[in-house]
Amino acid sequence: DFLSIFSKSIDPILDEECIDKARAAKPVIELLPPPPPLSTMERARRLQEMVLLEKLKDGDEVSGELWELWYSERGPENQSRLAQTDSLLADPDSWSLCEKKLVRIIEDDRASIYFVEAANRLATLYFLQGRLEESYTLCRLVLQLKPWHFGALSGIVQVCIGRGNRNEARIWAQRRLPTLASGSSFPPFTTSTGEGGATLNPRRAEWCNRAVADAREMLQMAEEYTTKSLGEPEEYYSQKKKRRRSRNEDEANRLDTDTEGDAWQ
């Protein structure tokens, strides 16, 4: 499947530059199923994401809004399906069912692997189960699609430690969202101060700037891919609905003519 193909394409991370090289070497779109076209609503959602990433410079308050945006990026139905796995993830006896539900979401063309929160949650489940290689692959996939995903950035550090690769864990740790205030003992420092006179961490602003730039680049890639391969998004969805309606009509006609079928066997 595409995850196996993706895992074979992953280059080892020997230094921080390898992360950028891995993203630039082969677009993830070439390794995965075709992404859904960029609709007007999806474009607006991505622009809102950039606004929230920029606001992270001022504090962590908007992180909840980012999580909510990510949970809902494939619509309320898929958000509800994902929410149903919350209690399952917390109960080891329900992990098998949790995995089945998450895999179904990912394999569903209405959500697909581009619903990164489903993939991120499955990576979390695999980590809890000790299935570190599968968890690692999914973390890398999430970060290929959303390099600024601070949840996956924290998660992959734990996975790398579990795999015994502390050097890679250290490299990914440098990519995590920095704290707002500088520590009292570690540079770099700035003369700016935040609430309570705390010294602000300049790496925080640098991280946010890079995140916004990455998000803008991913948006441009999505726009180019949609225009080149799928035409106008609204036209694509209209054609998709017609194909689905045609399949339903064909199935209905078949059932009408097959009055002696064996549906219950």
Side-chain angles (χ1 to χ4, degrees), residues 16 52-54 56-57 66 70 146-151 153 172-179 201-214:
E16 194 166 356
L52 295 175
L53 288 170
E54 181 73 24
L56 279 174
K57 290 180 180 179
L66 276 166
W70 295 340
K146 205 180 284 286
W148 54 90
H149 195 296
F150 45 75
L153 285 167
W172 283 110
Q174 294 173 351
R175 289 271 173 146
R176 290 183 299 187
L177 175 63
T179 58
N201 186 353
R203 292 186 61 245
R204 176 77 168 222
E206 293 171 5
W207 187 95
C208 293
N209 289 338
R210 181 166 61 183
V212 172
D214 286 343

Side-chain angles (χ1 to χ4, degrees), residues 121-136:
R121 183 156 298 185
L122 187 57
T124 302
L125 175 62
Y126 285 157
F127 173 75
L128 294 173
Q129 292 177 317
R131 297 161 64 177
L132 299 180
E133 295 306 313
E134 292 165 284
S135 181
Y136 178 77

Side-chain angles (χ1 to χ4, degrees), residues 26 44 76 101 115 121 133 146 163 169 184 208 245:
K26 191 171 187 179
K101 286 182 174 290
F115 186 17
R121 183 156 298 185
E133 295 306 313
K146 205 180 284 286
R163 296 171 77 217
S184 58
C208 293
R245 184 164 55 247

Side-chain angles (χ1 to χ4, degrees), residues 140-172:
R140 289 288 301 270
L141 176 58
V142 170
L143 292 170
Q144 187 82 2
L145 294 171
K146 205 180 284 286
W148 54 90
H149 195 296
F150 45 75
L153 285 167
S154 295
I156 198 171
V157 173
Q158 299 179 57
V159 173
C160 288
I161 292 174
R163 296 171 77 217
N165 193 335
R166 292 188 172 273
N167 180 60
E168 185 171 350
R170 178 186 57 78
I171 295 168
W172 283 110

Side-chain angles (χ1 to χ4, degrees), residues 1-262:
D1 57 17
F2 65 85
L3 278 180
S4 298
I5 296 173
F6 180 78
S7 65
K8 294 176 182 177
S9 73
I10 293 176
D11 295 321
I13 301 298
L14 304 177
D15 55 48
E16 194 166 356
E17 290 184 1
C18 289
I19 300 176
D20 296 320
K21 290 178 181 178
R23 286 183 56 211
K26 191 171 187 179
V28 70
I29 287 176
E30 296 182 18
L31 302 172
L32 299 177
L38 187 70
S39 65
T40 302
M41 182 178 297
E42 171 65 8
R43 189 177 190 279
R45 189 199 64 77
R46 293 197 183 204
L47 292 173
Q48 176 63 15
E49 186 176 27
M50 293 182 208
V51 171
L52 295 175
L53 288 170
E54 181 73 24
K55 287 184 177 180
L56 279 174
K57 290 180 180 179
D58 301 321
D60 296 324
E61 292 77 11
V62 298
S63 60
E65 295 181 55
L66 276 166
W67 280 114
E68 181 65 23
L69 192 67
W70 295 340
Y71 287 145
S72 62
E73 66 182 353
R74 283 295 174 265
E77 179 182 350
N78 285 306
Q79 183 179 9
S80 176
R81 294 169 70 191
L82 185 62
Q84 292 172 15
T85 67
D86 288 345
S87 59
L88 301 177
L89 188 65
D91 178 12
D93 292 334
S94 300
W95 281 350
S96 178
L97 178 58
C98 184
E99 179 183 5
K100 290 179 182 178
K101 286 182 174 290
L102 289 171
V103 169
R104 285 195 195 108
I105 295 173
I106 292 171
E107 291 181 345
D108 190 330
D109 65 356
R110 291 171 297 172
S112 81
I113 194 61
Y114 296 94
F115 186 17
V116 297
E117 278 317 304
N120 186 56
R121 183 156 298 185
L122 187 57
T124 302
L125 175 62
Y126 285 157
F127 173 75
L128 294 173
Q129 292 177 317
R131 297 161 64 177
L132 299 180
E133 295 306 313
E134 292 165 284
S135 181
Y136 178 77
T137 297
L138 282 167
C139 285
R140 289 288 301 270
L141 176 58
V142 170
L143 292 170
Q144 187 82 2
L145 294 171
K146 205 180 284 286
W148 54 90
H149 195 296
F150 45 75
L153 285 167
S154 295
I156 198 171
V157 173
Q158 299 179 57
V159 173
C160 288
I161 292 174
R163 296 171 77 217
N165 193 335
R166 292 188 172 273
N167 180 60
E168 185 171 350
R170 178 186 57 78
I171 295 168
W172 283 110
Q174 294 173 351
R175 289 271 173 146
R176 290 183 299 187
L177 175 63
T179 58
L180 188 61
S182 292
S184 58
S185 304
F186 299 97
F189 302 114
T190 178
T191 56
S192 301
T193 57
E195 293 184 10
T199 304
L200 296 183
N201 186 353
R203 292 186 61 245
R204 176 77 168 222
E206 293 171 5
W207 187 95
C208 293
N209 289 338
R210 181 166 61 183
V212 172
D214 286 343
R216 186 175 294 112
E217 179 184 353
M218 297 296 284
L219 173 59
Q220 182 178 353
M221 288 175 57
E223 290 174 332
E224 292 174 354
Y225 181 83
T226 296
T227 301
K228 178 180 178 181
S229 303
L230 303 174
E232 292 300 320
E234 287 72 14
E235 178 183 351
Y236 168 85
Y237 282 115
S238 176
Q239 293 174 354
K240 188 174 182 181
K241 288 179 181 178
K242 290 180 181 178
R243 289 194 297 269
R244 187 181 297 120
R245 184 164 55 247
S246 177
R247 287 197 302 268
N248 292 339
E249 291 173 353
D250 290 343
E251 179 67 11
N253 291 334
R254 186 187 67 78
L255 291 174
D256 287 340
T257 58
D258 186 13
T259 58
E260 297 181 0
D262 298 324

